Each structure stands twice: as C-alpha cells, then as structure tokens.
Amino acid sequence: MQKKISPSFCSGRCSAALFLVISAVPIAYLISLELAVPSTHVFSYHSSGYFRECAKWDDVGRRFLVSFMDGGGVGEIVPKDSDGDVLEEVTLVKDVDLAGNASLGISIDQVRNRVLVAVSDLLGNRYSALAAYDLSTWRRLFLAELSCHGKEKTFADDVAVDEQGNAYVTDAVGSKIWKVDVNGKLVSVITSPLFTPLGWYNNLVALNGIVYHPDGYLIVIHTLSGYLYKVNVSGNDNLVSVIDVSGGTLRFGDGLELLSPTKIVVAGSPSSKLVESLDGWKTASVTSWFSSGMVHRLASSATVKEGRVYLNHIVGFGSKKKHILVEAVF
C-alpha cells in the first residue's frame, strides 16, 4: 500500500528548502564582500572583540586608539614599518566599574595629554557618561555621569573638545548635547526643537557625530534624517541652525572628522562623504563619495593620519576578530 504524503509535510519540506536557498544568498554575498580587496591602503588588526566603534590617530603616540563597543575599554593599534602585516590590538584600559557598558566615540585632546571617551548602556539606554584618561599613564582623570540609571533613556554617542578643554557629548536617543567642563563637571545641556525632525522613525538614532570648529561652533550630524547642524558655543545663546546641504544626502551618517575649516568627512554606510562649505557652514555641499566596498562592516568613524583619511569599520570577522581601517580617497 502506497503511503500518502500530507500537504502540510510537503509544505514544510518546501519551506525549509526555500529558507536554505534564501539564507544562502546573503551568506554568499557577505563572503564575496569579505573576500573583496579594497582599492586603497588598509590597516588590518586582530582584536579581542567583534565590535570597535571609533578609531582616532594619536600622532604623538604614533598609534590608533580604538574604542571597545562590546564590553567597554580602549585599545591601541601600532602600525609597523612593513605594509601588509596584520597588526595586533593591545588593551590599554578596561574599567571594572564600567563593565557592561560600551565605549563609543573618542576624542584626543593633545594639548592636555588626554583622551575623552563616551560611555553608554548599549542595550538599556539607562546610563551615559564621559570618561577622561591620561594618554601616558592611562589613569582615569574623571568620570562625568551624564545620566545615572534614571527613567529617561539616553545614549552618549560621540564627543568633541573645544580650545578651553570643554567637552560636548551627543545623546543619540535624547536628542541633546551635554557640555562638560575641563575638570569633568556637567555644566549645561544644549537642546533645540531642530534636533527632533518630524517622523518618529527619524529619531530612532538622532544626534551622533560631532566636531568642534576653531571659529567657535560645533558641527553635528543627525543620523537618520541626515540633517547637519551648526551650534554656536562661543557665547551663551547656543544658537542652533540647520546647515543647508546640497549635492547628496547625509542619511546614515555617523562619525565626523574636520579636515580643514571648510571640509569635513562624514563616515557612514553605504558610502562616506566629503562635505565642503565656503560660507562659514551656513550652507554646504557634498563634493565626493567613497566606499571601501566593505558595507557589511559598517563604516562608523574617520580619522586623519599624516594627511590621509582612514575609516573605522565597526564589525570584525573571523575567529581572530579581524578589523580594518581603510584609507578613504575622495
């Protein structure tokens, strides 16, 4: 007697087969991306973690400093004389009292021989802080708690430093900027209705990358809307305006790097952009694009080493957690 096969059984087998076929497509795509070789110079390094949110070149120390998104801390990558070698990450600091939080944006303050690190509760958004460390001894100079296990959700994301040593930290969830003085005291909070564009979906990831301009203002990006803001911090008014950007969208922009008074790099995926302004950042235009081809690794920050721009990518791959810093040529 021939056994009948139920339609549900057939449907289940077909669904499973279809799932395997569909899932194989992105896996194959990821493998092809990973095997691709960027056309520009690359620093590769093995790491202790899969997620590195920010990298900045320390010119005095002759090293890249990288922030540990998974578990918190800061490490260094020291380039070698010979090209092509896979470098090794060395952990410089991991604070026990900050364990479980993410270290995100970093800013090197060479004048005061220190580095500033934005610290956040990555998943719960219940804790935000700014930590400062001595670049020589890695002694913690201060820990400024910006929100401490309160009801308000916050996410300290990136940080910039002005000429007086004041730090400005973006809140990617609460759409505001904390100002912390040179000694680690929270002195004010900068808010504006402009920081909250229309549409709830535009504010899932809000204020992100930030740089200080030597003319006395901040340039800040709002990730999901792509808005670029100019925030005057030279006086007491903290006047906020939207920079009119032409030539392309800045949606999904992440970290910023000031190349000159008239140029910034916006790191992001699927491409990073060069943005220029000739009128003191009232208006600006996207003048060039760069993609490393490693879109699956997610470009998140930019830094300058000896006149060359390098993009940090968040995601590492492989058993040795290999990360890359890719030169961006605009």
Side-chain angles (χ1 to χ4, degrees), residues 194-195 197 207 218-220 222 227-231 241-243:
L194 295 175
F195 289 159
L207 300 185
L218 306 170
I219 299 174
V220 190
H222 188 287
Y227 286 175
L228 200 62
Y229 301 101
K230 177 179 178 180
V231 184
S241 58
V242 179
I243 299 169

Side-chain angles (χ1 to χ4, degrees), residues 125-172:
N125 304 150
R126 297 299 186 187
Y127 182 79
S128 290
L130 178 69
Y133 301 94
D134 184 284
L135 277 169
S136 302
T137 65
W138 289 95
R139 177 176 67 90
R140 194 167 75 191
L141 303 174
F142 66 73
L143 178 68
E145 293 190 331
L146 308 175
S147 70
C148 187
H149 310 295
K151 292 182 179 180
E152 179 191 16
K153 289 196 172 187
T154 64
F155 191 81
D157 199 318
D158 201 6
V159 56
V161 183
D162 69 15
E163 292 157 341
Q164 289 73 45
N166 299 304
Y168 302 88
V169 184
T170 53
D171 182 355

